[in-house]
Amino acid sequence: MAHAVDHAPAHDDHGHHEQSFFMKYMWSTDHKMIAMQYMFTGMLMAMLGGFFAYVFRMQNAFPGMAVPGFGLVTPADYNMLVTNHGTIMIFWVAMPVLVAAFGNFLIPLMVGCDDMVFPKLNRLSYQIFLLSAIVLIAGFFVPGGGFGGAWTAYPPLSAVGVYNLTPMGSSFWVLAVALEFVAFLLGGINFITTSMNSRAPGMKLYDIPIVVWTIVIASVLFMCSVGPLIAGAIMLLFDQNIGTGFFNPAMGGDPVLWQHLFWFFGHPEVYVVLLPTLGIVAEIICVFSRKKLFAYQTVLYTMFGTGILSFTVWAHHQFISGIDPRMANVFTITTLLISVPIAEMLFVYIATLYKGSITLSTPMLWALGFIATFLIGGVTGIYLGTAGSDIYFHDTYFVLAHFHYTFFPIAIIGTYAGVTYWYPKMFGRMLDETLGKIHFWLTFIPFNCIFIPLFFLGLWGEHRRIYSYELFDELWKYQGIRQFATVALVVMLAAQAIFIWNFFKSLWSGPIAGPNPYNANTLEWQCPSPPPHGNFAELPTVYRPPYEYSHPDRKEDFWPQNSPV
Amino acid sequence: MDIFNFTRLPAISSFATSIDDVIGWVTVLVGFWFIVTEVVLFYFILKYRKQNSPKAAYITGEEPELFRWISRPHAAVLVFDVFIVVIGVRVWLDVKQTLPPEPVPHVRVIGQQWAWSFVHPGLDGQLDTADDIKTVDDLHIQTNQQYIWELEARDVLHSFSIPAMRLKQDAVPGRVIKGWMDANAAGVYEIQCAEICGIGHGLMPGKLHVEDAAQHTAWMQAHSPVARIAAN
Amino acid sequence: MTPIATTRSTAGLPTGTLGVWWLLGSEIVIFGGLLCSYIMHRLSHDWWSAEAAHTNVYIGLTNTFVLLTSSLFAVLAHAAAQRGDGKLAARRLWYTIAGGGMFLCIKAAEWTIEISNGMTISSSSFWSFYYTAAGIHASHVIAGMIAMAVVAMDAAKGKFLHRVENAGIYWHFVDLVWIFLFPLLYIAK
């Protein structure tokens, strides 16, 4: 272990220099600023994705009516909105906020060093990410409009302009996604190298906070799974533009090949976003129940196991797609197997609450809300992972409700949990607790009101990606339920204004947060709020694991990792 | 078991009830875990709130008597999963891995942007003969008769879905995919396309007409191209 | 202004090396996906062997030899860098780059012949794979050449000699991909 003079004050070699606005906010290599860039970009994209959901749900609930703020929704519009809602939420909201924003902000702080290992590469990764967002949005304005072949982009629909009627938009979409992948591959280099190589002296592998581990494992999963889809994206771009035949049966190609390439990545991808949220929830539960994480090593190995298993389940998305039916049985087994470690994670979090002393702060409400709702997502996955029942449920609203009960807890509840928890550290002020709790309930309850009915609609035979059910006699009678869900969505979206108000108001007038308002142990709470350039006045040394709360030998119920006693 | 039909649709094929049974059993088994977990979660939240529990215990989770509260449910989940795999695989084998023994009538189902077309075998019961009946949007079959369908797609991916039968299969251009169906109740049921196929994806519902033997024969006679040519 | 983070080495590996291996890992999965798709198609389409018969194994063999030789120079460059001889390391790196350039010229000639004989990227799915796989490989050769040029210019001034090894690792990877591509595209007929 080579430790240079790092107990000396960090950055004693730059007697600084007031940075210009451009250098400080737009050209920074500081991991905290890059984290903010990812976070704000992700939140803006979330507003766009949410707006798309509002428009297509309004069309669904009140077909043919001009949607306030958008106008009439044509079938082409509907497909474009549905496609880009999903694409934006997964690639331009969940990934940047959960992996890049929290990863960038937390990792150097939590392992006790002054920045990421490759700061310029870090900056480049954000710039490529921003470019990918610009390319995606540019695609909405080209002739023909934005791509409308679903976020899964199955060829031949996605490959042939005559079929999808958005020839330019399709290519912009694929290019944007490919650029986003490159950005995250570059970003991942920093997460791995910094957490493995730049740890504070004394921080052994089992002393690393779980959220750092989860982001590291997520980055490895991403790197190992995205390659085939990058190859696939190149193949699709070529099919779209230069007449190749990778997915064209007439030229000897195979449409189902794309599905394999897509889902080989697509399934690990959901764990790429799940793991960081699991990490965030773990941190919050420990702090707000004043308890050590139950069975840390088991949790860690379960996460590794889940990551590895996630590579073996992908074709459960393709049971009836024309794959060899015998393969479906293999994937049923592997898919049901993966429910076991996930269930274990939830059991462990509940066990961490046992004999704790629980404070129901806003972050804790979000963390507990995650457990309660992700559980629904998890159990409903069993219906879909079993090929026999998936015959009925495939492409229905049941699938949609299942993945919103996984993705929404992961991306939205997890984000709010993390932002409300680390806001004091990021900005030096406390958020308003009352507004925070109102925002929580006005998000949580409407969320359930939107998606529980959708489970039933799927059970009753309603298929996805259909812009109006007027032509379907068996389904039209449930229109009232669709309207109820849509009203709940509008309420939920409107309530996000409370969060935005709270966020900005507290920046100026929230109570000043000290370095450690929650009496937490991990290293990010042992430096000023917000941390200055270089993070720690004196780089810390670590003496113990991260969750020594309520230790019997201590008077106080917390024991920071870097306190020598 | 009828009680497991949660779909509010009739179960008209011979395998519909077995698929409903899988759904029913999964509901019972995961429902159990769901309820137990949520109850324990809420119980702990309420019982260990700060006002009830001012000081937390120091528990590492490696204590064996506590860790078995994780490892035993963990093992139980695995056992439940094995049960679900068994019942699921049995249904899958029946629906997707076996075809009824010949001779049975075949129908051709063709998906395209944006309509379903069907080729019925006609009175001679053989596909690809002169008396085949071609229709758009309307598929006619007879009650209590097994059929093999041959599914094709002309342009992009489509998916042949009949919820009342619990039947679904993607149609892939360049392939002919075969499966089987039967219906035990006369009536008119919906056919949906279950794979996004462009802007007209929501504009291609079809109708399945299940007719008893007499009605079905009458329909075939009325629509047979051979009979019409002869009549002309 | 390198952060202290960059200088630490808790896992025992220098950060630059860790970074290059990460990059290689991601590239392995990209090429792996492409090549697996190729193999799957090859196994299910008999007519592919008829198309593959049109590739010229002698040109492929020559290119293999050229790349392997250039890798040898990369190894020698690393040896020189370890001894601290930046100028020699730089010279050897330039030989490596020259090898890459020769590879590209031969490939350009090969493709010109094939295209003028009507075998274009849109002739059939075999040729789509052929040009795409070799083309993506070629783009990595170009990227490697540029990276090595930068490293060579620094090494000649005695700077950042440790990067010679990392550039070499990347180049060996590019070589390795070709070792997989060569039999798949040229030999298996």
Side-chain angles (χ1 to χ4, degrees), chain C residues 46-78:
Chain C
D46 289 326
W47 53 267
W48 272 35
S49 3
E51 297 277 9
H54 293 291
T55 59
N56 188 318
V57 69
Y58 299 109
I59 298 182
L61 206 53
T62 308
N63 260 344
T64 309
F65 176 71
V66 165
L67 265 189
L68 282 173
T69 310
S70 70
S71 267
L72 175 63
F73 279 112
V75 171
L76 293 173
H78 177 218

Side-chain angles (χ1 to χ4, degrees), chain B residues 141-160:
Chain B
I141 63 173
Q142 190 180 303
T143 50
N144 300 313
Q145 167 66 54
Q146 289 182 322
Y147 289 83
I148 290 178
W149 40 263
E150 301 183 10
L151 182 60
E152 298 174 15
R154 286 234 166 91
D155 35 37
V156 298
L157 294 174
H158 297 271
S159 187
F160 180 49

Side-chain angles (χ1 to χ4, degrees), chain B residues 70-230:
Chain B
I70 304 288
S71 53
R72 286 183 188 172
H74 190 182
V77 168
L78 192 57
V79 169
F80 280 42
D81 279 347
V82 170
F83 184 67
I84 295 172
V85 166
V86 169
I87 57 178
V89 167
R90 282 173 49 196
V91 167
W92 181 262
L93 285 172
D94 177 34
V95 177
K96 290 289 181 183
Q97 287 185 241
T98 51
L99 285 176
E102 300 282 6
V104 288
H106 289 224
V107 292
R108 183 164 295 127
V109 179
I110 304 166
Q112 66 184 81
Q113 287 182 324
W114 287 289
W116 292 104
S117 43
F118 305 99
V119 184
H120 305 77
L123 286 159
D124 67 353
Q126 296 292 325
L127 208 52
D128 297 321
T129 55
D131 72 343
D132 285 356
I133 302 169
K134 300 190 171 115
T135 58
V136 177
D137 290 341
D138 295 283
L139 174 62
H140 289 255
I141 63 173
Q142 190 180 303
T143 50
N144 300 313
Q145 167 66 54
Q146 289 182 322
Y147 289 83
I148 290 178
W149 40 263
E150 301 183 10
L151 182 60
E152 298 174 15
R154 286 234 166 91
D155 35 37
V156 298
L157 294 174
H158 297 271
S159 187
F160 180 49
S161 170
I162 307 179
M165 281 183 174
R166 320 288 185 269
L167 180 157
K168 193 173 295 148
Q169 174 59 48
D170 281 7
V172 182
R175 297 195 200 185
V176 179
I177 298 176
K178 295 198 171 109
W180 69 278
M181 63 183 175
D182 58 9
N184 54 30
V188 181
Y189 309 98
E190 249 164 21
I191 300 172
Q192 296 191 37
C193 177
E195 183 57 50
I196 186 169
C197 54
I199 62 174
H201 172 59
L203 297 172
M204 49 189 287
K207 290 257 180 296
L208 171 70
H209 302 259
V210 183
E211 297 148 341
D212 67 35
Q215 286 174 313
H216 189 62
T217 314
W219 175 82
M220 284 198 284
Q221 281 168 337
H223 288 82
S224 168
V226 169
R228 251 181 276 132
I229 292 167

Side-chain angles (χ1 to χ4, degrees), chain A residues 76-87:
Chain A
D77 288 333
Y78 189 85
N79 284 359
M80 185 281 280
L81 292 164
V82 160
T83 300
N84 288 288
H85 165 79
T87 312

Side-chain angles (χ1 to χ4, degrees), chain A residues 313-482:
Chain A
V313 304
W314 81 89
H316 65 231
H317 300 270
Q318 298 167 257
F319 281 141
I320 57 141
S321 67
I323 62 170
D324 188 326
R326 294 167 295 182
M327 291 306 295
N329 297 315
V330 172
F331 284 100
T332 297
I333 294 170
T334 54
T335 305
L336 291 192
L337 217 64
I338 206 174
S339 68
V340 175
I342 303 290
E344 176 157 9
M345 292 301 308
L346 295 181
F347 294 159
V348 160
Y349 287 172
I350 296 175
T352 305
L353 295 173
Y354 175 68
K355 289 197 173 158
S357 173
I358 298 173
T359 303
L360 292 176
S361 61
T362 305
M364 188 59 158
L365 284 176
W366 287 111
L368 295 173
F370 169 82
I371 299 177
T373 48
F374 187 77
L375 180 62
I376 298 178
V379 300
T380 51
I382 305 287
Y383 292 93
L384 305 172
T386 308
S389 47
D390 187 60
I391 298 174
Y392 182 68
F393 285 122
H394 174 76
D395 199 72
T396 63
Y397 267 69
F398 194 93
V399 176
L400 202 135
H402 157 74
F403 68 68
H404 280 88
Y405 263 97
T406 48
F407 265 118
F408 189 96
I410 288 171
I412 309 294
I413 296 183
T415 296
Y416 283 137
V419 171
T420 53
Y421 177 55
W422 277 294
Y423 184 97
K425 180 54 54 181
M426 291 175 178
F427 303 110
R429 303 247 182 190
M430 304 297 288
L431 282 167
D432 184 312
E433 267 296 295
T434 312
L435 286 180
K437 289 181 174 141
I438 296 175
H439 169 240
F440 170 77
W441 289 111
L442 281 181
T443 304
F444 192 76
I445 294 176
F447 161 69
N448 286 288
C449 292
I450 300 168
F451 291 105
I452 297 277
L454 264 45
F455 276 122
F456 289 101
L457 288 174
L459 192 51
W460 299 334
E462 178 169 315
H463 285 54
R464 293 170 69 181
R465 299 161 173 167
I466 289 179
Y467 85 123
S468 161
Y469 293 95
E470 292 162 298
L471 294 177
F472 295 87
D473 306 326
E474 283 168 6
L475 296 172
W476 182 245
K477 55 185 185 273
Y478 303 122
Q479 192 61 9
I481 297 180
R482 292 183 196 99

